[in-house]
Amino acid sequence: MSRPGRTRSPRRMVIVGGDAAGMSAASQARRLCPPEELEIVAFERGDHTSYSACGIPYWVAGDVTDRDELVARSPQEHRERGIDVRTRTEVTALDVQGSRVRTREGGSGREEWTGYDELVLATGARPIRPPLPGIDAEGVHAVQTLGDGERLLADLAALDRRRADERPRAVVVGAGYIGVEMAEALLRHGYRVTLVDRAEEPMTTLDPDMGAHVREALNRLEVATALGSAVTGLETDAEGRVRAVTTETDRHEAELVVLGMGVRPLTDLARDAGLPLGDSGGVLTDLAMRVRGHDNIWAAGDCVEVLDRITGAHRHIPLGTHANKQGQVVGRNIGGDYATFPGVVGTAVSKVCELEIGRTGLLEAQARAAGLRWVTVTVEATSRAGYYPGAAPMRVKLLAERRTGRLLGVQIVGREGAGKRVDIAAVALTAGMTVEQMTMLDLGYAPPFSPVWDPVLVAARKAVSAVREAG
Amino acid sequence: MSRPGRTRSPRRMVIVGGDAAGMSAASQARRLCPPEELEIVAFERGDHTSYSACGIPYWVAGDVTDRDELVARSPQEHRERGIDVRTRTEVTALDVQGSRVRTREGGSGREEWTGYDELVLATGARPIRPPLPGIDAEGVHAVQTLGDGERLLADLAALDRRRADERPRAVVVGAGYIGVEMAEALLRHGYRVTLVDRAEEPMTTLDPDMGAHVREALNRLEVATALGSAVTGLETDAEGRVRAVTTETDRHEAELVVLGMGVRPLTDLARDAGLPLGDSGGVLTDLAMRVRGHDNIWAAGDCVEVLDRITGAHRHIPLGTHANKQGQVVGRNIGGDYATFPGVVGTAVSKVCELEIGRTGLLEAQARAAGLRWVTVTVEATSRAGYYPGAAPMRVKLLAERRTGRLLGVQIVGREGAGKRVDIAAVALTAGMTVEQMTMLDLGYAPPFSPVWDPVLVAARKAVSAVREAG
C-alpha cells in the first residue's frame, strides 16, 4: 500500500484520545509491530487511559470501591509496553495535507506539531448538556469521565454530612441506560429519586410498550418517573446550588441532579479538518475503520458512526464493547494484519436493581424508517423451568419481517437471566436467520437454566404464526 | 399425499408413549385439526403424561416440593383437549403391514388391536442397568420416572428416620449430568457422596481436560470422586439391602446407591417391527421426523437418533428440549402443516451447586472421529466486568477447524453466568460461523453482565491466532 505524506523509519502512529478505542488500537499495533518499525504516540487530554466509563454508575453506587479498578491500564503501564502516552495533552488541530497534528500541553501550555504516518481518531463522545438556565449550577453532575465520578462522590459525601433526618432528593434527567443505572446508584445512597425525561416512557432504546414495563418496574423500586415533559431549567439557591428541576409541566425539588441525556460524537477536530461526518455527527469510516477517502487516517470508538447490519444505515451507538473491537481492528490494520468491523445489530443490556433489560436489532420505529414491514409478537415466559426455584417472569417482544420471516429485533424485560438472553437473538440476527429457523435452535436446556422451550424460542414460535397470518 | 393402509373419516393418529415427544405431537396436531378430521389416541404404559424427567433431581433435592409441579399436563387435561389418553396401557406389538398396534391394559390385562392412519413412536429411553450382582438390591435407585423419584424420596425419608449420628453415605454410579445433579441432591440431604465412574474424569460430555476442572470443583464441594475404575458389583446385607459398591480397584460403603449411567433408546417395538435403527439403537427418521421408508410412521424424542448438524452423523442425544421440538414437528406434519427438525449441534448445560457446565458442538474425540482437523484454545475470563461484584471466573475451551477457522465446539466450566453462555456458540455453530466472524459479534455488554470482551469472544480471538499459526 502506498502512503501519502512523510515517510521515515520507523513509521509513526499517532492516536488522538487515550481511552478504550485509542489504546486498543495502540496495544494491538504494538503487539504486531516492534518499536523499531512503528513508533506509537497517544495524546490524551485527561489524566487517565483505558478506563471503563460504563463502570462509573457502579463506582458511584458503591459496587466498585476503588476508582483504579475502573482503569484497565494506566498511562505508565502503556508506556512500559512501548506506547508513548502523553496525558494532559490536547490535540487542537489536524492538518491532513501535512499529515500532522497540533497539540497543547495542559501544564506548560506548550504547543507543537507532531507528524504522523498513520493517525487514529479516538476522540470519544461528549455528554449532551443543553444550554438550560442553571445547568452549570453546583450539584449538577455528568457521569462521563472519572473526574465526573469523583466530583459526584465528593458531593454525595458532603451532602451526607449535612443531611437532615429527611431523605434527600435527587433528579436524574434522562431515562436511558445511564439514567436508570444512576437512579439505582442514588437509591443505594438513600436518595428519593425522580427520573425525568421528555419521552413518554423510559428507555427509548425499547419500544414504548416495553418501556412501560420498565417504568412499572422502576416505580415498584420506588423510583418516581416524570415523563413526557421536557426540562426547562434548573433553579438554584442563594449559594448557586441547584434546588429544583423545572419541566414544561412540573417542578421537582432536588439536592442533587445527574444528567444522563446521552452523548454526541466529539468530532470538532475531524469536522474542522474536513473529514466526512454522518447524520449524527460521527466520523464515517469504511469497514476497515479507515476514515472514508483518507488512506492513513483511522477512527474508532464513540466518535464514529457504525454500520447497522440490518438496515445498512449508519448510526451513532457509543458503547465500550464496540470501541474495543474497532480499536482492535484499527490496530491490526496499522500493524500490517487485516481485519474489519462488520457493523452492529444494536445489542444492549442494562440492569436496575433486579430488573434486567436487553435489546437487539430494530425497534418498530427503526423498522418503519428502514422501509420494512414486520409483525410483532410479545410473550411472557420464565427464565428457568417454571417449577425451579428462582424462575422469574420475563417478557420478550420480537419483530420479524413480513413474508420472509427474517428476525428483525428482540426486546426483553425481566429479572435474572433476562438480559444476556438477547445474545441468542444477536447472533441469529447476524446470521440472518428466520424465526422459523430459530424455533429449532439447539439452546442449552436444564431446569435451572431455562424452560424446555427457551423464552426466545417461544417468541419465535409465535412469530412464525404471525408471519403466516400477516401473509 | 396418498396414504397406504386403512382410510376412514376421521383419520386416526395413534401415539405410543405419553411423555414430552408424544404429547407435544398430540397437542400440536389437535391444534391444527379438529376431532371430526383427526382422532388422537395416546397409549402410555405408566400413570403420567407430559412430565419433566429432567426435573427429578431437583424434586429429590427439595427444590421442587410437589411431584405434580413436574407434570406439565395430566392425562385428564389432555383428555379435556380432545386427546384420548389411555394410561397403564402398553403397546406390545406393531403390525406395520396392517397399520395397527396391539395393546395390553395394565389393570384388566385385556389385549386388543387398534388401527392407525398415522403412528407416532415416542417410546423414550431406558436407563442403562448392567446385570451386575446386587443391582436389584433394595436401596439401589434409578431416576428416570416419577415412580423412581417417589421410591427414592421414600427411601431417603426411611433412612432419615433410622439415621445414626454419623452422616449417611451414598454412591452415585455414573458421573454424567444426571449423576452430578443427583450428587448435589444427596448432598442437600446431608449425605457424604461418592461419584463413581469408569471414565477418568466426570462429565464425558466434555473433553477430559475440562472434565478435570469439574472434578476439582466437585471435590471442593466435598463430593468424593472415584474415577477410572468400573463398577463390578453391589454388596448387600442380610436383609437384601445394598451396603457397598465394588469397583475394579475399590469398595465404597453406602446406605444408598443411585444409578446415573445414561440411557439407551427404548426401541424393541420398532426393532421387532423391522423399522430402521441407527448405531446406537435409536429409530432413524428423515428431516420431517418420519421413520425412514415408512410414509405414515413417525418417531420423536428419546427413542430416535438425531442428525448432528456439524458432522452429518446420527447420534442419540436424549434431552427434553429435543423431544419437545421433534414432537411439535411431527404434530405439525400430521396436522397438515409442514415442519422439519434440522438436527442438533449438541448443546447441553448442567449445574451442581454453584458450578455451571455448558457445552455445544464437538469434543476433540468427536472431531477426530468425523475426520476433521482442528485447533483448540482455552481461556480464563470472568462472567462480568472484573471490577463488578460477583464476577466469577470461567474457563472456555473452543475448537475451530484448521484452514477454514469454522467454529466446531465450545465447552465452558464456571459459576453463575457460565452455563447459558454456550447459547452464543450454539447459534454461531448453527450459522456455520468462523471464529474470525465471531470476534465481531455484537453481544450484550454492561459491567453486571459481561466484561467488555465476552469470554466466548476472548476464546474466539485466541482461536483466530491459533488457526493462523496452525496453517
Side-chain angles (χ1 to χ4, degrees):
Chain A
M1 183 166 40
S2 82
R3 290 172 187 289
R6 55 201 288 287
T7 54
R8 170 187 55 205
S9 180
R11 288 189 300 148
R12 186 186 291 154
M13 172 182 182
V14 167
I15 295 154
V16 187
D19 203 353
M23 299 318 291
S24 287
S27 303
Q28 188 64 36
R30 177 82 307 144
R31 233 169 276 149
L32 294 167
C33 270
E36 54 275 22
E37 288 174 22
L38 186 72
E39 182 189 352
I40 305 179
V41 184
F43 296 111
E44 163 56 43
R45 61 178 182 172
D47 292 318
H48 305 285
T49 51
S50 305
Y51 65 89
S52 172
C54 352
I56 293 173
Y58 309 102
W59 175 32
V60 174
D63 285 326
V64 177
T65 47
D66 185 351
R67 186 199 69 187
D68 289 346
E69 291 179 58
L70 299 184
V71 178
R73 204 170 275 179
S74 69
Q76 190 50 38
E77 289 170 309
H78 281 296
R79 288 183 196 118
E80 284 158 13
R81 285 167 173 80
I83 297 165
D84 180 5
V85 178
R86 317 247 183 107
T87 51
R88 299 195 186 188
T89 304
E90 186 164 16
V91 175
T92 55
L94 161 56
D95 170 11
V96 172
Q97 289 303 102
S99 286
R100 58 184 191 158
V101 293
R102 185 156 182 87
T103 56
R104 183 172 53 228
E105 218 201 282
S108 63
R110 193 163 65 99
E111 303 208 11
E112 64 179 347
W113 287 100
T114 303
Y116 61 80
D117 296 285
E118 307 285 351
L119 179 69
V120 181
L121 294 175
T123 45
R126 147 172 56 207
I128 294 171
R129 200 176 173 96
L132 295 169
I135 190 96
D136 294 320
E138 206 186 319
V140 180
H141 293 274
V143 283
Q144 174 78 354
T145 65
L146 292 182
D148 291 337
E150 267 164 359
R151 281 184 289 277
L152 174 52
L153 277 166
D155 205 10
L156 284 167
L159 285 167
D160 207 34
R161 283 190 296 273
R162 277 186 279 156
R163 187 190 284 195
D165 280 347
E166 214 183 342
R167 279 176 73 188
R169 294 158 300 183
V171 166
V172 177
V173 183
Y177 71 94
I178 292 285
V180 299
E181 287 165 4
M182 288 309 303
E184 172 175 356
L186 294 167
L187 281 183
R188 304 266 292 276
H189 279 274
Y191 279 68
R192 283 181 292 166
V193 181
T194 302
L195 206 48
V196 176
D197 201 299
R198 65 178 171 188
E200 294 291 337
E201 296 293 355
M203 296 301 290
T204 53
T205 50
L206 302 179
D207 283 327
D209 56 325
M210 293 296 279
H213 294 288
V214 174
R215 173 176 44 78
E216 287 160 15
L218 287 168
N219 294 163
R220 280 195 296 273
L221 293 168
E222 300 196 345
V223 175
T225 43
L227 302 163
S229 181
V231 171
T232 49
L234 295 95
E235 284 179 20
T236 51
D237 63 16
E239 285 93 53
R241 185 170 177 95
V242 72
R243 67 173 185 193
V245 173
T246 55
T247 69
E248 290 159 342
T249 54
D250 279 298
R251 180 176 177 279
H252 305 282
E253 298 198 349
E255 284 75 52
L256 192 85
V257 172
V258 173
L259 302 177
M261 303 172 78
V263 298
R264 290 231 176 81
L266 187 50
T267 49
D268 310 67
L269 200 64
R271 173 179 286 116
D272 292 347
L275 301 186
L277 304 184
D279 291 343
S280 53
V283 177
L284 292 174
T285 72
D286 64 14
L287 292 170
M289 301 310 295
R290 190 185 271 113
V291 175
R292 287 193 196 165
H294 294 267
D295 266 2
N296 65 337
I297 307 182
W298 312 75
D302 290 0
C303 68
V304 305
E305 296 197 0
V306 293
L307 174 64
D308 177 329
R309 293 174 82 147
I310 307 168
T311 63
H314 283 78
R315 295 161 62 187
H316 183 235
I317 304 184
L319 263 183
T321 185
H322 302 334
N324 271 276
K325 290 191 182 89
Q326 292 162 357
Q328 206 221 12
V329 165
V330 168
R332 280 174 69 181
N333 287 320
I334 290 179
D337 193 3
Y338 166 67
T340 63
F341 182 77
V344 304
V345 291
T347 311
V349 289
S350 359
K351 184 175 164 297
V352 199
C353 302
E354 296 304 302
L355 181 72
E356 296 190 3
I357 304 159
R359 59 94 71 216
T360 187
L362 305 181
L363 303 182
E364 295 201 55
Q366 292 170 324
R368 190 176 298 114
L372 297 168
R373 293 182 72 179
W374 68 94
V375 299
T376 69
V377 296
T378 303
V379 301
E380 284 195 70
T382 55
S383 57
R384 311 173 179 194
Y387 53 77
Y388 192 86
M394 72 172 75
R395 186 177 297 259
V396 181
K397 177 171 179 174
L398 186 151
L399 276 67
E401 191 178 24
R402 272 187 62 178
R403 305 273 181 171
T404 69
R406 184 168 55 110
L407 177 67
L408 293 179
V410 165
Q411 300 162 50
I412 306 181
V413 176
R415 296 214 303 270
E416 194 208 341
K420 274 292 260 182
R421 249 182 179 97
V422 291
D423 283 351
I424 298 164
V427 186
L429 274 169
T430 306
M433 286 187 187
T434 66
V435 284
E436 179 93 37
Q437 288 173 316
M438 286 179 72
T439 60
M440 292 293 141
L441 281 173
D442 183 5
L443 303 179
Y445 162 65
F449 295 97
S450 172
V452 73
W453 287 95
D454 191 278
V456 174
L457 301 193
V458 175
R461 281 173 67 184
K462 194 169 173 187
V464 168
S465 302
V467 169
R468 184 178 313 186
E469 282 157 24
Chain B
M1 182 165 44
S2 82
R3 291 173 186 286
R6 55 201 289 288
T7 53
R8 169 188 56 207
S9 178
R11 288 188 301 148
R12 186 187 291 153
M13 172 183 183
V14 167
I15 295 155
V16 187
D19 203 353
M23 299 318 290
S24 287
S27 303
Q28 188 64 35
R30 179 47 75 232
R31 232 169 278 150
L32 294 168
C33 270
E36 54 275 21
E37 287 174 21
L38 186 73
E39 180 188 354
I40 306 179
V41 184
F43 296 111
E44 163 57 43
R45 62 178 182 171
D47 291 318
H48 305 285
T49 50
S50 305
Y51 65 89
S52 171
C54 352
I56 292 172
Y58 309 101
W59 175 33
V60 173
D63 286 326
V64 178
T65 47
D66 185 351
R67 187 198 69 188
D68 288 347
E69 291 179 59
L70 299 183
V71 178
R73 204 170 275 179
S74 69
Q76 189 50 37
E77 288 170 309
H78 282 296
R79 288 183 196 116
E80 285 160 11
R81 285 167 173 80
I83 298 164
D84 180 6
V85 178
R86 317 247 183 106
T87 51
R88 299 196 187 187
T89 304
E90 185 164 17
V91 174
T92 55
L94 161 57
D95 171 11
V96 171
Q97 289 303 100
S99 286
R100 57 183 192 159
V101 294
R102 186 156 183 86
T103 56
R104 183 172 53 228
E105 219 201 281
S108 64
R110 193 163 64 100
E111 302 208 12
E112 63 179 347
W113 286 100
T114 304
Y116 61 79
D117 295 285
E118 307 285 352
L119 179 69
V120 181
L121 294 175
T123 45
R126 148 171 56 207
I128 294 171
R129 201 176 172 95
L132 295 168
I135 191 96
D136 295 319
E138 206 185 320
V140 180
H141 294 273
V143 282
Q144 174 78 355
T145 64
L146 292 181
D148 291 337
E150 268 163 359
R151 280 184 290 276
L152 174 51
L153 278 166
D155 204 9
L156 285 167
L159 285 167
D160 208 34
R161 285 191 295 274
R162 276 187 279 156
R163 186 191 284 195
D165 279 346
E166 215 183 343
R167 278 177 73 188
R169 294 158 300 184
V171 166
V172 177
V173 182
Y177 71 94
I178 292 285
V180 299
E181 287 165 3
M182 287 310 302
E184 172 175 356
L186 294 166
L187 281 183
R188 304 267 291 276
H189 280 273
Y191 278 68
R192 283 182 291 168
V193 181
T194 302
L195 205 49
V196 177
D197 201 300
R198 65 178 171 187
E200 295 291 336
E201 296 293 355
M203 296 300 290
T204 54
T205 50
L206 302 179
D207 284 327
D209 56 326
M210 294 295 280
H213 293 289
V214 174
R215 172 175 45 78
E216 287 161 15
L218 287 168
N219 294 162
R220 280 195 296 273
L221 294 168
E222 300 196 345
V223 174
T225 44
L227 302 163
S229 180
V231 172
T232 50
L234 295 95
E235 284 179 20
T236 51
D237 63 16
E239 284 93 52
R241 183 168 179 96
V242 72
R243 66 172 184 192
V245 173
T246 55
T247 69
E248 290 160 341
T249 54
D250 278 299
R251 178 175 179 280
H252 305 281
E253 297 199 350
E255 285 75 52
L256 190 87
V257 172
V258 172
L259 302 177
M261 302 171 79
V263 299
R264 291 231 175 81
L266 187 50
T267 49
D268 310 69
L269 200 65
R271 173 179 287 115
D272 292 349
L275 301 185
L277 304 184
D279 292 342
S280 53
V283 177
L284 292 174
T285 72
D286 64 15
L287 292 170
M289 300 310 294
R290 191 185 269 113
V291 175
R292 288 194 196 166
H294 294 266
D295 266 1
N296 64 338
I297 309 182
W298 312 75
D302 290 0
C303 68
V304 305
E305 295 197 358
V306 293
L307 174 65
D308 177 329
R309 293 174 81 146
I310 308 169
T311 63
H314 282 79
R315 296 162 60 188
H316 183 235
I317 303 184
L319 264 183
T321 185
H322 301 333
N324 271 274
K325 290 192 182 88
Q326 292 162 356
Q328 205 221 12
V329 165
V330 168
R332 281 174 68 182
N333 287 319
I334 291 178
D337 194 0
Y338 165 67
T340 63
F341 182 77
V344 304
V345 292
T347 311
V349 289
S350 1
K351 185 175 163 299
V352 198
C353 302
E354 296 305 301
L355 182 72
E356 296 190 2
I357 305 159
R359 59 95 69 217
T360 187
L362 304 181
L363 302 183
E364 295 203 55
Q366 292 169 324
R368 190 175 297 114
L372 297 168
R373 293 181 72 178
W374 68 94
V375 299
T376 69
V377 295
T378 303
V379 300
E380 284 194 69
T382 55
S383 56
R384 311 174 181 196
Y387 54 77
Y388 192 86
M394 71 172 75
R395 185 176 297 258
V396 181
K397 178 172 180 174
L398 186 152
L399 276 66
E401 192 179 22
R402 271 187 62 178
R403 305 273 182 171
T404 69
R406 184 168 55 108
L407 177 68
L408 293 179
V410 166
Q411 301 162 50
I412 306 181
V413 175
R415 298 214 302 270
E416 195 208 342
K420 275 293 259 181
R421 246 177 181 101
V422 292
D423 283 351
I424 298 164
V427 186
L429 274 169
T430 306
M433 285 188 188
T434 66
V435 285
E436 180 92 36
Q437 289 173 315
M438 286 178 73
T439 61
M440 294 293 141
L441 280 174
D442 183 6
L443 304 179
Y445 162 66
F449 295 97
S450 173
V452 71
W453 287 95
D454 191 279
V456 174
L457 300 193
V458 175
R461 280 173 68 183
K462 193 169 174 186
V464 167
S465 302
V467 169
R468 183 178 314 186
E469 282 156 25

